[in-house]
Amino acid sequence: MAVPKRKTSRSNTRSRRSQWKAEVPTLVKTVENGRVSWSLPHTAKVVTDSAGTPLFREYKGRKVADV
């Protein structure tokens, strides 16, 4: 494992850490049967029945996984 030769100053450490910022995820709006839902792009969505029970995951109209 690499070991630094000298201690990193507090200002250098904090300025390096300040570059890591959280980003707002890009959401995709989809409308199905009058319901608007937001989801992450390229992600399988959960298909539910009328009672709200999750049935399976779907991506591009195909069943990809059971819940």
Side-chain angles (χ1 to χ4, degrees):
M1 187 172 125
V3 178
K5 221 166 199 176
R6 61 178 61 100
K7 182 177 179 178
T8 306
S9 70
R10 183 180 293 168
S11 65
N12 283 345
T13 302
R14 289 180 178 169
S15 65
R16 183 184 67 245
R17 288 180 182 164
S18 69
Q19 301 305 313
W20 292 90
K21 296 180 179 76
E23 295 179 355
V24 177
T26 56
L27 297 176
V28 177
K29 178 182 176 181
T30 55
V31 179
E32 287 185 17
N33 302 329
R35 283 183 59 195
V36 177
S37 63
W38 297 88
S39 61
L40 294 171
H42 305 291
T43 306
K45 67 174 189 169
V46 177
V47 177
T48 59
D49 60 0
S50 60
T53 308
L55 301 173
F56 57 88
R57 290 188 174 269
E58 180 182 61
Y59 183 70
K60 291 187 177 178
R62 297 182 182 152
K63 181 180 173 184
V64 292
D66 292 323
V67 176

